[in-house]
Amino acid sequence: MAMTTTMSVGVASTTTTSLIFPRNRSCSHSPIQNKIHLPRRIRSKLSIDAEDQVQSRVWNWRGYSIRYQHSGKNGPALLLVHGFGANSDHWRNNISVLAQSHRVYSIDLIGYGYSDKPNPRQIGDHSFYTFETWASQLNEFCLDVIKDEPFFICNSIGGVVGLQAAVVAPHVCRGIILLNISLRMLHIKKQPWYAKPFISSFQRLLRDTAVGKFFYKTIATKESVRNILCQCYHDTSKVTDELVQIILGPGLEPGAAEVFLEFICYSGGPLPEELLPQVKCPVLIAWGDKDPWEPIELGRNYENFDFVEDFVVIPNVGHCPQDEAPHIVNPLVESFVARHAKSSSSTSIVN
């Protein structure tokens, strides 16, 4: 059984194998394939900043453009994985700090941020946006780009992605930190039998009719995004104009609505409690105790799995501890990695 730890908020804050995936598609065969065009404000902020040396790059993955950020030249490798509706910019308060003693990579999962957003209807694949797809993306990114065995640092649904990746290719990941991992409360297995037909009908309504597009337009606004963030952040002063734009900007790009609707209609796939028993690397779970979406009382059930070494309670913090309380999360990451890294210089897993 893992030991539960409660961390106090400090006064000072830091500054700022067989991988499962659809058949490879070339650019010429994909009508929705585009290069990433970042807004000027994002480009100037993310290109190569003289102060923190965070670089924004593009990785060509199976014919799709994937945006990722990188900083740091020495130490163990870290791969930061965002949650639903977010992107690698959600780690902006973590990358530079962790890069002082680590090689840090933060990736936009396909369909999110400034990565490509292929429409499943156009490519003829209605099971495209799944945890198996995203897990394959992570594992191949480790092989192709990081060329090392990183630690996964994951928030929300990113935690399910990280666990799935570690189960599929256990030799790739050295350890996982789960920050308020998604409990997947809308999973079909967690619904009462009498509700399942209504849930399926509602999902078809959103995905297959104009109702879904109308619904997305109502929430893809500054006011709605701010209201949603104020629900999941306990300290609402952290919900700044910058944060709203970070979340909203990519959500206004072509294809974003289809990705959103596809995922909220995705009620299958793996559950954390199914993946955790299969993971063979050390796992640390940290939970903001004021999360209204993923109740900590339910999350505590995960501390009993064999490879979960600790369950850390982060008081007075909501669903996104890495952004709301980076002065707690960054040292937590550094401590976990230091315990499990064999050396400051890692051995490459590819030639």
Side-chain angles (χ1 to χ4, degrees):
M1 180 183 297
M3 177 177 65
T4 302
T5 305
T6 303
M7 298 187 67
S8 300
V9 179
V11 176
S13 62
T14 55
T15 58
T16 334
T17 252
S18 52
L19 303 178
I20 304 169
F21 194 79
R23 182 185 292 262
N24 188 16
R25 303 176 182 87
S26 66
C27 295
S28 60
H29 292 162
S30 177
I32 41 70
Q33 176 68 34
N34 292 305
K35 295 294 183 182
I36 297 175
H37 299 288
L38 303 183
R40 181 175 301 175
R41 185 190 68 82
I42 299 295
R43 288 201 306 268
S44 62
K45 180 177 185 295
L46 298 179
S47 296
I48 302 180
D49 191 286
E51 180 180 351
D52 56 22
Q53 293 297 304
V54 176
Q55 302 179 26
S56 184
R57 300 174 177 175
V58 174
W59 170 49
N60 188 301
W61 177 59
R62 300 183 176 236
Y64 298 111
S65 294
I66 303 297
R67 192 275 290 251
Y68 71 96
Q69 297 182 63
H70 169 60
S71 185
K73 297 180 179 179
N74 301 297
L78 311 180
L79 179 54
L80 315 183
V81 189
H82 63 79
F84 174 61
N87 58 79
S88 61
D89 292 336
H90 209 192
W91 300 93
R92 68 200 186 285
N93 293 321
N94 315 102
I95 298 176
S96 297
V97 175
L98 294 174
Q100 294 173 16
S101 53
H102 305 83
R103 291 169 291 131
V104 184
Y105 298 82
S106 179
I107 194 168
D108 287 1
L109 297 174
I110 191 165
Y112 293 102
Y114 295 99
S115 289
D116 278 351
K117 303 170 179 62
N119 187 328
R121 294 179 181 273
Q122 294 183 9
I123 62 177
D125 188 346
H126 290 282
S127 61
F128 188 87
Y129 293 106
T130 66
F131 292 108
E132 289 80 8
T133 296
W134 290 315
S136 295
Q137 179 186 345
L138 288 196
N139 285 332
E140 294 187 24
F141 182 79
C142 294
L143 294 170
D144 294 348
V145 179
I146 301 179
K147 301 183 186 300
D148 199 356
E149 303 168 2
F151 292 86
F152 293 164
I153 318 299
C154 313
N155 176 228
S156 190
I157 68 160
V160 185
V161 175
L163 289 177
Q164 177 69 34
V167 168
V168 171
H171 59 285
V172 170
C173 178
R174 302 175 72 179
I176 305 175
I177 293 182
L178 303 173
L179 303 170
N180 289 60
I181 185 175
S182 172
L183 298 167
R184 303 209 64 203
M185 297 301 293
L186 297 179
H187 194 283
I188 195 68
K189 292 181 180 179
K190 296 187 176 183
Q191 303 308 312
W193 65 267
Y194 54 82
K196 292 179 180 179
F198 298 100
I199 293 172
S200 297
S201 297
F202 182 67
Q203 289 175 334
R204 286 194 299 269
L205 179 69
L206 288 178
R207 187 168 49 194
D208 300 336
T209 73
V211 173
K213 291 291 185 66
F214 176 78
F215 173 66
Y216 186 77
K217 286 182 179 179
T218 64
I219 63 173
T221 66
K222 289 183 178 180
E223 182 179 2
S224 293
V225 169
R226 184 179 298 277
N227 289 338
I228 293 170
L229 290 169
C230 284
Q231 290 177 20
C232 68
Y233 278 61
H234 183 64
D235 181 0
T236 57
S237 69
K238 299 296 180 69
V239 181
T240 62
D241 291 341
E242 178 190 29
L243 176 60
V244 171
Q245 183 58 36
I246 283 173
I247 302 300
L248 178 61
L252 298 178
E253 294 207 331
E258 287 77 11
V259 175
F260 173 86
L261 295 172
E262 195 72 21
F263 185 76
I264 65 173
C265 294
Y266 174 43
S267 55
L271 291 165
E273 54 266 36
E274 296 171 340
L275 295 171
L276 278 166
Q278 304 178 63
V279 172
K280 303 304 181 184
C281 64
V283 177
L284 183 144
I285 300 176
W287 217 284
D289 68 348
K290 301 301 183 185
D291 188 341
W293 296 345
E294 314 292 350
I296 191 171
E297 294 78 12
L298 299 178
R300 284 184 184 274
N301 294 327
Y302 295 155
E303 69 179 313
N304 297 316
F305 291 100
D306 289 343
F307 282 88
V308 176
E309 66 174 33
D310 206 350
F311 187 101
V312 178
V313 178
I314 307 179
N316 300 313
V317 172
H319 184 62
C320 307
Q322 79 278 10
D323 191 48
E324 189 175 347
H327 59 291
I328 294 177
V329 170
N330 291 336
L332 187 68
V333 171
E334 293 168 344
S335 175
F336 176 80
V337 172
R339 288 199 303 274
H340 296 289
K342 294 180 180 179
S343 64
S344 58
S345 59
S346 305
T347 303
S348 175
I349 60 176
V350 294
N351 294 326

